[in-house]
Amino acid sequence: MRLWTLIKQQLNVAFSLSALRWYARHDRKKIAGGIAIAAVVIASLVPLYFSVYLKFLEAVFFAGLNIGQPEILLTLTLVFTSFVVFFIGIAFVMSTFYFSRDLSLLVPLPVTPGEIVGAKFAVVLVQEYLLVVPLLLPAIIIYGLHMGAGIAFFLAGLVVLLLVPVLPLAVVSAVTLLLMRVTNLGRYKDFLRLVGMVLLVVFLLGINVLVTKLAPMAQEEMLALLLEEEGLTRFIARLFPPALLAARALTAGGAASVLNFLGYLALNLAGVALTKFLGERLFYRGLIGGEEVSARKSVSLSRLERKMAKVSSPAAAIAAREIKLLVRTPIYLFNSIGILVIVPVALLLPLLMGDAVDPLLAIFLQPGNRFFVNLAGAAFIAIMGAFTPASSSSFSREGKQFWLSQVIPVPPAVQIRGKILYSLLLCLLAVPLVILLSVFFTKWSPLELLLVIVLGLCGCLPPVTSSLLIDLLRPYLDWDNPQRAIKQNMNVVLGMAAAALCFWLLYLLGKYLYGAGLPEYRIYAALAIAALLLGYIPYLVMLQIADRRYRDIVSP
Amino acid sequence: MIEIRGVSKSYNNGAVKAVDNLSLSVRPGEIFGFLGPNGAGKTTTIKMMVGLLQSDSGSIVINGHDVAKEPLKVKASISYVPDYPEVYEKLTGLEYLTFLADMYRVPQAVRLARMKRFLKLFDMTDAVEDLIQSYSHGMRQKIVLIGALLHEPEVFILDEPMVGLDPRSAHNLKEYMREHCDRGKTVFFSTHVLEVAEKLCDRIGIISRGRLIACGTMAELKEQAKSTGSLEQIFLELTES
């Protein structure tokens, strides 16, 4: 009963249900604005969703049907969705369990740690459904319609859909509870936790590659996979074996369906029980102590004086503040910089371990393709820049501390320059990756490397300034855990959409100039200038509106 | 000095009038106490003074500069301590102070001397290298106070500054406020601690439902309220309705 009350309260807070009801009565404009922006984002994704994802699902179904294994579609989407839940869940679980502001209210209540973990688990679960439904539901419908399935299939499909995120989240929760317990080690705990999160992702990617590498590569074995009943399905399900139970629950029919379903259900319940068990025993031990002061060192006055006397310009001081806050907040760091580690690892692992891609790489790296390789290197830096949500959440992350930015006597334009400086510094982190790429694969000359880096950094400017502009226009300041400022912030999606638009315009320009037969160096120069211009426009707009926005934004 | 002229502020599209045609002035060298029941409009007024809220009408002039027209000049000459010290938890106290010193462009030698003085005054020297997230409410309040004093503001604006402070720090703050005003500067603060207001303030304003219902020295307030009692009795009588 108490758990249910907690769950209701947590869902209310997480989805701002009371606030929405209040706005619906008192300030409908605000609700309408939010709906309009959500509609724009959804409308911009719908064409991609229909033209790419749904068509892909159809193609998978018919490919499976042709080899007599139509259930491949379900297995593949079940595995894929489980992985998505897992990856997204890592940061979700950690921030919701351990960094919510309401923990100081919940912990003193007469509830067990397991109940708090249960309520927080429910919040993350509901949030994950927002991903699971669009990913999995179409696969169930496509399979059901094409196979002429009855109502029982669709009902079972719905139950399976509801169960899908439970087990991956339970595993993430269990690992997080353990991680937070063992890393609750005083002043280095934030760093250790970040390393733990990144290692977890890298470990998962490693398993993924390893399992794929274990695949029988001989032609006859591959043929056997295709011909054998459920061969390919079982092969795919090696990545996440419980998915096989779920797929069989939907497709096997009769008693086999029921048995597989019961097995799948039992696994999920076991996952929840494990989370509850670990929650009861480990949650407080990973949480409490996190805010205690480490034993005071004796303060050296001369050292203090040296630090006190350090003077910086306002823009540099703001950039330094942003970097310190980012580096010391594991959730920000994981989301902003973690991507710079995870994406290259995801790209490099198959390249390093696989041989299937070697011929493709060889073609790509042929001397005649140098121009495209250089552009691809620059695009890599720019895209990495666009992927880090550092600028698209720059104002939002200030949250309840935004009042400080409003009362200091530093022109908003200078503060914005500080934020741009900081975002570009983060983009620089992609440079070592490009150097590694050069060492292992592309073998750029120093001049080419310089060109790639300069062009890439120019390409970073449009995503940085356009994302900052979006966040300045609608900062999300009233958040209760840092994850909400950076991941559940529509500005991050809008920022990526703006970056995609800028990149598309640059691509069109490059394509046009290449088609017109311009020398390569001129195309590089034109692209660099165009990128700087594209980045400068949002900056100019920010300068125009900054004073007004800093005055009008109501700090929570 | 502070000149507030006919300032109003409403919320919910005019449904709630937080501040209603408020006018008052505070002279240089004066400690002004701003009193009122919960929800009377004290914080809204203070937020308008420091540029965190925009007034619907009227004007606020601080040190000769209109808050709406020359906000940066106003901000450079004031300091604000909010009622709840929301500060960067992942910075150390020292990093927060140097950040503010950079923002207010406090010269190196001056910031060094003031930091040392105020850290000692508020007994924060030993904790200044710890992350603010490890501070108690009172310590956060003290680090915000120190940050607000680094550029020696002409006008020091505080919203409920005594909340969370230990008795010694509260005493030191009151002493400093008097010293600050003795140098010809101004202090404007809101409080619910009427004894503090009575003993410390040169003049007091009482706001209720967004309107200034009384303003003046203790003697003038007694006269306005036709009372010979304490500030508490005057406050209760004036805000009763």
Side-chain angles (χ1 to χ4, degrees):
Chain A
M1 192 61 201
R2 260 188 335 207
L3 177 64
W4 177 236
T5 310
L6 264 183
I7 290 174
K8 276 196 298 184
Q9 179 269 348
Q10 287 290 301
L11 289 174
N12 186 350
V13 173
F15 294 96
S16 307
L17 300 179
S18 290
L20 285 173
R21 274 198 296 273
W22 191 88
Y23 284 123
R25 280 201 299 272
H26 297 96
D27 191 356
R28 290 203 174 162
K29 267 190 208 161
K30 193 151 185 161
I31 294 235
I35 292 172
I37 286 166
V40 167
V41 171
I42 291 170
S44 62
L45 292 175
V46 160
L48 197 69
Y49 183 67
F50 275 94
S51 63
V52 178
Y53 187 64
L54 294 193
K55 278 198 176 166
F56 169 74
L57 294 184
E58 286 261 355
V60 170
F61 173 79
F62 284 112
L65 193 65
N66 283 341
I67 57 167
Q69 299 182 38
E71 69 281 358
I72 284 172
L73 172 68
L74 291 175
T75 317
L76 190 71
T77 43
L78 281 163
V79 168
F80 175 65
T81 310
S82 302
F83 266 78
V84 169
V85 169
F86 208 110
F87 284 116
I88 303 280
I90 292 170
F92 264 14
V93 164
M94 186 171 280
S95 64
T96 311
F97 282 24
Y98 288 96
F99 300 113
S100 304
R101 283 175 187 267
D102 64 353
L103 285 167
S104 56
L105 293 172
L106 293 175
V107 172
L109 292 179
V111 292
T112 65
E115 284 172 326
I116 297 177
V117 166
K120 298 270 177 201
F121 184 87
V123 167
V124 183
L125 186 67
V126 173
Q127 285 167 340
E128 293 275 16
Y129 283 131
L130 300 178
L131 281 170
V132 169
V133 170
L135 288 178
L136 192 57
L137 189 62
I140 294 172
I141 293 174
I142 287 170
Y143 180 89
L145 291 180
H146 285 304
M147 298 297 286
I151 189 81
F153 168 83
F154 289 103
L155 285 176
L158 192 64
V159 177
V160 167
L161 184 142
L162 292 174
L163 286 175
V164 160
V166 175
L167 188 59
L169 266 188
V171 176
V172 172
S173 303
V175 173
T176 306
L177 285 162
L178 284 166
L179 178 73
M180 295 301 272
R181 172 64 194 95
V182 297
T183 56
N184 197 8
L185 296 172
R187 57 193 308 210
Y188 298 112
K189 65 177 185 297
D190 286 350
F191 175 72
L192 289 172
R193 284 165 182 182
L194 174 80
V195 171
M197 286 161 91
V198 171
L199 282 181
L200 187 61
V201 175
V202 171
F203 173 70
L204 277 170
L205 288 169
I207 286 189
N208 189 340
V209 171
L210 207 65
V211 171
T212 318
K213 285 293 289 178
L214 291 175
M217 293 307 290
Q219 213 167 5
E220 56 273 22
E221 285 172 302
M222 190 63 94
L223 199 63
L225 267 186
L226 296 176
L227 296 176
E228 204 179 314
E229 196 184 346
E230 278 195 338
L232 205 52
T233 298
R234 274 188 279 115
F235 175 67
I236 293 168
R238 289 167 73 167
L239 291 168
F240 187 66
L244 191 60
L245 292 177
R248 282 178 178 162
L250 292 176
T251 58
S257 268
V258 176
L259 281 176
N260 278 291
F261 176 77
L262 288 176
Y264 188 58
L265 184 67
L267 270 180
N268 279 290
L269 290 177
V272 173
L274 177 70
T275 305
K276 178 137 184 0
F277 176 80
L278 293 177
E280 289 289 0
R281 276 149 192 83
L282 300 180
F283 182 53
Y284 282 174
R285 291 161 77 185
L287 177 74
I288 296 168
E291 300 198 347
E292 282 164 6
V293 187
S294 49
R296 290 248 159 88
K297 303 174 296 281
S298 57
V299 176
S300 150
L301 283 177
S302 58
R303 191 166 51 92
L304 260 189
E305 282 182 16
R306 271 200 308 279
K307 286 185 177 177
M308 284 174 186
K310 220 172 136 195
V311 181
S312 308
S313 73
I318 285 166
R321 174 199 65 184
E322 300 270 310
I323 289 170
K324 282 174 193 159
L325 295 177
L326 182 93
V327 168
R328 293 172 191 173
T329 312
I331 292 295
Y332 294 161
L333 199 57
F334 181 71
N335 281 300
S336 297
I337 297 183
I339 196 93
L340 289 175
V341 177
I342 291 162
V343 170
V345 168
L347 291 174
L348 287 178
L349 274 179
L351 284 180
L352 290 170
M353 298 179 72
D355 36 36
V357 282
D358 282 355
L360 289 174
L361 200 62
I363 295 169
F364 184 61
L365 295 178
Q366 273 175 4
N369 288 335
R370 215 62 193 156
F371 171 67
F372 300 108
V373 174
N374 294 347
L375 286 182
F380 176 76
I381 296 178
I383 290 169
M384 284 285 100
F387 263 128
T388 66
S391 50
S392 51
S393 64
S394 188
F395 295 97
S396 298
R397 286 198 314 273
E398 289 197 48
K400 291 189 168 83
Q401 283 104 45
F402 190 67
W403 69 271
L404 271 162
S405 299
Q406 291 178 295
V407 300
I408 52 177
V410 177
V414 174
Q415 298 194 42
I416 287 168
R417 275 201 284 278
K419 285 176 181 290
I420 292 174
L421 177 66
Y422 142 83
S423 304
L424 288 176
L425 283 173
L426 281 192
C427 293
L428 278 178
L429 293 175
V431 170
L433 301 175
V434 167
I435 295 173
L436 277 180
L437 266 182
S438 179
V439 171
F440 287 110
F441 302 110
T442 55
K443 318 284 182 204
W444 280 308
S445 70
L447 192 67
E448 281 177 319
L449 195 58
L450 184 71
L451 171 86
V452 166
I453 291 169
V454 171
L455 198 55
L457 291 178
C458 290
C460 284
L461 195 64
V464 163
T465 53
S466 54
S467 309
L468 261 183
L469 173 62
I470 289 166
D471 202 36
L472 175 64
L473 287 170
R474 47 187 308 279
Y476 174 39
L477 301 171
D478 196 10
W479 41 263
D480 59 357
N481 85 51
Q483 176 75 6
R484 295 186 72 166
I486 202 161
K487 259 283 155 56
Q488 285 150 283
N489 185 348
M490 195 78 88
N491 295 353
V492 175
V493 182
L494 291 172
M496 284 193 189
L501 178 68
C502 294
F503 292 155
W504 184 64
L505 291 174
L506 289 172
Y507 163 75
L508 288 183
L509 177 71
K511 195 177 156 191
Y512 171 75
L513 296 178
Y514 184 75
L518 238 65
E520 288 175 5
Y521 73 91
R522 283 203 183 177
I523 300 178
Y524 294 137
L527 286 174
I529 292 167
L532 292 177
L533 276 175
L534 274 176
Y536 194 60
I537 295 167
Y539 173 65
L540 278 182
V541 176
M542 277 193 279
L543 291 190
Q544 288 297 314
I545 63 167
D547 285 350
R548 210 168 57 242
R549 289 303 296 146
Y550 267 68
R551 187 196 63 198
D552 292 347
I553 292 169
V554 178
S555 207
Chain B
M1 58 166 262
I2 302 166
E3 281 288 335
I4 300 176
R5 288 278 163 265
V7 165
S8 295
K9 176 73 186 174
S10 300
Y11 294 119
N12 294 342
N13 301 321
V16 179
K17 203 141 201 179
V19 175
D20 189 3
N21 198 25
L22 179 77
S23 294
L24 63 86
S25 64
V26 184
R27 293 182 284 270
E30 211 169 54
I31 299 183
F32 188 90
F34 199 41
L35 315 181
N38 293 332
K42 299 186 296 296
T43 297
T44 300
T45 304
I46 287 176
K47 283 189 168 178
M48 288 191 286
M49 289 166 68
V50 301
L52 285 174
L53 279 178
Q54 206 186 351
S55 62
D56 297 338
S57 59
S59 70
I60 300 174
V61 175
I62 297 180
N63 295 322
H65 304 292
D66 191 309
V67 173
K69 291 173 188 156
E70 298 174 292
L72 287 181
K73 285 185 176 163
V74 171
K75 288 172 187 177
S77 69
I78 66 168
S79 258
Y80 166 57
V81 176
D83 52 349
Y84 191 84
E86 280 284 357
V87 276
Y88 309 117
E89 297 200 334
K90 297 286 181 185
L91 293 190
T92 64
L94 185 57
E95 286 168 343
Y96 172 72
L97 295 180
T98 47
F99 172 73
L100 281 185
D102 287 333
M103 294 299 110
Y104 287 96
R105 294 178 184 276
V106 184
Q108 190 182 47
V110 179
R111 72 169 68 179
L112 193 61
R114 287 187 188 152
M115 272 189 211
K116 281 160 73 176
R117 181 193 166 188
F118 293 125
L119 285 171
K120 195 174 169 204
L121 183 71
F122 290 108
D123 193 23
M124 286 289 288
T125 309
D126 287 346
V128 75
E129 287 193 281
D130 291 330
L131 286 180
I132 292 175
Q133 72 178 17
S134 69
Y135 287 4
S136 67
H137 180 92
M139 288 164 84
R140 287 174 194 224
Q141 186 76 353
K142 288 196 273 188
I143 207 76
V144 175
L145 273 169
I146 296 169
L149 292 171
L150 287 178
H151 66 291
E152 190 136 325
E154 288 296 317
V155 176
F156 192 20
I157 300 168
L158 308 98
D159 197 356
E160 298 282 354
M162 307 299 169
V163 176
L165 290 186
D166 58 72
R168 182 179 297 281
S169 299
H171 171 78
N172 288 342
L173 174 63
K174 285 183 275 183
E175 292 276 301
Y176 181 79
M177 283 158 88
R178 173 50 58 204
E179 181 195 320
H180 194 67
C181 289
D182 289 346
R183 290 200 298 272
K185 299 174 193 299
T186 308
V187 173
F188 182 104
F189 76 105
S190 75
T191 186
H192 287 300
V193 190
L194 300 182
E195 293 81 4
V196 170
E198 187 169 356
K199 283 183 189 150
L200 189 65
C201 297
D202 299 307
R203 286 199 306 136
I204 290 164
I206 300 176
I207 184 173
S208 180
R209 293 177 189 171
R211 286 179 164 273
L212 192 69
I213 54 171
C215 188
T217 60
M218 262 311 287
E220 287 166 345
L221 286 183
K222 283 180 182 174
E223 201 177 303
Q224 285 172 40
K226 297 186 175 36
S227 166
T228 53
S230 65
L231 180 59
E232 185 178 27
Q233 284 169 315
I234 295 170
F235 180 86
L236 292 174
E237 281 168 25
L238 287 173
T239 57
E240 198 175 24
S241 59

